[in-house]
Amino acid sequence: FCLMAAPGKVAAFRLPPLPTIGEIIKLFRLKALKQLSQNFLLDLRLTDKIVKQAGELKNAHVCEVGPGPGGITRSILSAGVEQLLLIEKDARFIPGLQMLSEAAPGKVRIVHGDILTYKMEKAFPKYLKKNWEDEPPDIHIIGNLPFSVSTPLIIKWLENISKRDGPFIYGRTQMTLTFQKEVGERLTANPGSNQRSRLSIMAQHLCTVENCFIIPGQAFVPKPEVDVAVVHFTPLVQPKIQQPFELVEKVVQSVFQFRRKYCFRGIETLFPENGRLKRTEQLMMTADVDPTLRPFQLSMSQFRNLCNVYRKMCDEDPSLFVFNYREELRQKKKTRSLLGSTGQPEQTEEENQL
């Protein structure tokens, strides 16, 4: 990683006159790359509005993910932050960001690197650390994320929250991030909503998730085919499901495996074929979950019950947690092809769905 910072420090801060974001794009001949799903936000009123959703930033420490030409960066600096860490993967944007760094002496640190591999444990000063039970630390993560990384990145950070590592080693660090509108709806969907998904459970069991506002696609350059949601996350003091991240993810993923079928159909995939029906019935009866509910109808407490009971079953039979339904399907398919058997239509349909 390449680290750059401007020396010196200022007490009261205001950005000097600078070229507009449009002029920066022309000056450095920047072009949004489709393969990186890049979209620039040029309207500083909208970037101000995004930054406002993060809360009080005066004297705060902020990490901006993928600043690009620096629209949101300007709004963050104008909010009076103490320190701003910029993590940018695309080297083409670094000169324009250095210009901002020089305009805000001592406030900006630029890292040329990938947020998915950058070690956030050492991103901020140690004195900012708070206990998990305390108010969130004076640290914020803000970012207009490319669609291609937004979902894997939030899953990674949710796992960090569960384990209290990464950027959450400092406490309940808050995040204000952009997502494709549909992903934003999934993150905040309630039971019974068609948008309710694995992402809804994984996010809401660990965080208070708020869909702040929608930015129309035409506000971006180039214009994406979808609108964009600004979503704010505050990690919960106590997760709603108190089980390891991997276990919760496995149960939730299995339940949503066949989202249009009854939930017991997905839950069956947690168990090997030998004894599958009996174990599925045992899990659902003990967890007090109606097997004829669809996955998107299940409440958070029902997911919690399923995870708790499944955990007990795994403790009794450790081979259960490592069981992989897809692998079992692959082996059966392999056996069928060796025997020259056509197999059953239901099995083929499931293979297609998976």
Side-chain angles (χ1 to χ4, degrees):
F1 292 110
C2 167
L3 292 153
M4 292 156 278
K9 200 156 187 175
V10 285
F13 179 74
R14 189 171 180 161
L15 276 173
L18 288 164
T20 65
I21 299 299
E23 287 165 349
I24 291 278
I25 289 169
K26 282 179 187 168
L27 181 67
F28 294 105
R29 295 179 181 176
L30 301 173
K31 191 180 177 186
L33 297 179
K34 196 173 182 181
Q35 64 266 35
L36 296 178
S37 60
Q38 291 173 340
N39 302 96
F40 304 150
L41 194 53
L42 308 187
D43 187 337
L44 292 183
R45 287 168 304 176
L46 281 172
T47 61
D48 284 347
K49 195 176 175 185
I50 292 170
V51 170
K52 203 174 175 185
Q53 301 305 317
E56 179 55 64
L57 293 186
K58 192 163 175 60
N59 301 323
H61 287 246
V62 176
C63 170
E64 187 190 351
V65 184
I72 293 176
T73 315
R74 294 183 187 209
S75 296
I76 295 170
L77 287 169
S78 298
V81 297
E82 178 73 19
Q83 283 288 320
L84 175 56
L85 168 64
L86 303 175
I87 300 176
E88 178 53 66
K89 186 180 179 180
D90 193 333
R92 296 174 306 140
F93 296 120
I94 301 295
L97 295 173
Q98 278 181 310
M99 186 186 284
L100 273 176
S101 175
E102 287 157 16
K107 283 189 177 282
V108 180
R109 186 158 56 102
I110 303 168
V111 171
H112 176 213
D114 188 342
I115 188 62
L116 287 165
T117 54
Y118 180 67
K119 302 289 182 205
M120 294 285 282
E121 292 87 346
K122 294 175 182 173
F124 305 103
K126 284 182 183 176
Y127 71 82
L128 293 170
K129 278 190 182 183
K130 292 261 189 102
N131 292 324
W132 197 260
E133 297 72 28
D134 295 342
E135 285 297 303
D138 223 0
I139 295 171
H140 294 262
I141 296 171
I142 299 174
N144 172 30
L145 306 174
F147 296 154
S148 58
V149 300
S150 59
T151 304
L153 187 55
I154 195 59
I155 288 290
K156 177 182 187 284
W157 278 339
L158 289 169
E159 184 171 0
N160 288 147
I161 290 170
S162 175
K163 295 174 178 175
R164 300 183 187 181
D165 60 13
F168 307 97
I169 204 164
Y170 299 92
R172 295 184 297 121
T173 301
Q174 296 177 79
M175 302 182 284
T176 309
L177 307 166
T178 62
F179 296 89
Q180 205 169 321
K181 186 186 171 201
E182 191 183 73
V183 177
E185 286 169 351
R186 281 186 206 150
L187 284 161
T188 55
N190 293 317
S193 159
N194 280 334
Q195 294 289 354
R196 185 83 160 170
S197 67
R198 172 182 76 116
L199 212 47
S200 320
I201 311 302
M202 297 311 293
Q204 293 170 34
H205 107 83
L206 290 162
C207 297
T208 301
V209 191
E210 185 191 352
N211 202 332
C212 304
F213 66 97
I214 303 296
I215 304 174
Q218 62 258 33
F220 293 86
V221 177
K223 176 182 176 289
E225 291 172 13
V226 293
D227 293 338
V228 171
V230 177
V231 184
H232 183 76
F233 302 81
T234 307
L236 294 164
V237 174
Q238 289 290 348
K240 290 180 181 170
I241 304 170
Q242 294 193 24
Q243 294 295 349
F245 185 87
E246 292 82 0
L247 184 138
V248 178
E249 190 172 41
K250 187 178 183 186
V251 171
V252 173
Q253 224 162 9
S254 297
V255 171
F256 281 101
Q257 197 94 259
F258 307 104
R259 61 174 291 117
R260 290 188 181 87
K261 296 190 177 184
Y262 293 142
C263 64
F264 81 84
R265 187 62 206 88
I267 289 168
E268 279 185 327
T269 65
L270 287 167
F271 304 107
E273 192 170 30
N274 184 20
R276 176 170 289 153
L277 190 61
K278 189 182 172 187
R279 281 173 148 176
T280 303
E281 284 175 357
Q282 181 194 343
L283 173 55
M284 302 211 71
M285 279 179 70
T286 314
D288 192 24
V289 174
D290 180 350
T292 63
L293 288 172
R294 310 282 177 189
F296 59 86
Q297 293 176 306
L298 296 186
S299 67
M300 188 63 77
S301 61
Q302 287 170 316
F303 273 105
R304 180 172 60 237
N305 292 351
L306 287 169
C307 290
N308 290 344
V309 177
Y310 179 65
R311 170 67 187 268
K312 282 181 184 168
M313 294 172 84
C314 289
D315 288 345
E316 288 163 14
D317 178 4
S319 69
L320 208 51
F321 187 69
V322 293
F323 167 71
N324 185 316
Y325 180 71
R326 288 165 188 253
E327 189 53 43
E328 185 185 75
L329 275 186
R330 274 194 287 272
Q331 291 303 327
K332 282 176 77 174
K333 196 175 179 182
K334 200 173 172 184
T335 307
R336 283 205 313 273
S337 64
L338 286 170
L339 296 172
S341 163
T342 55
Q344 295 179 2
E346 178 64 20
Q347 192 66 50
T348 310
E349 184 206 336
E350 283 171 15
E351 283 169 2
N352 289 340
Q353 273 192 273
L354 288 163

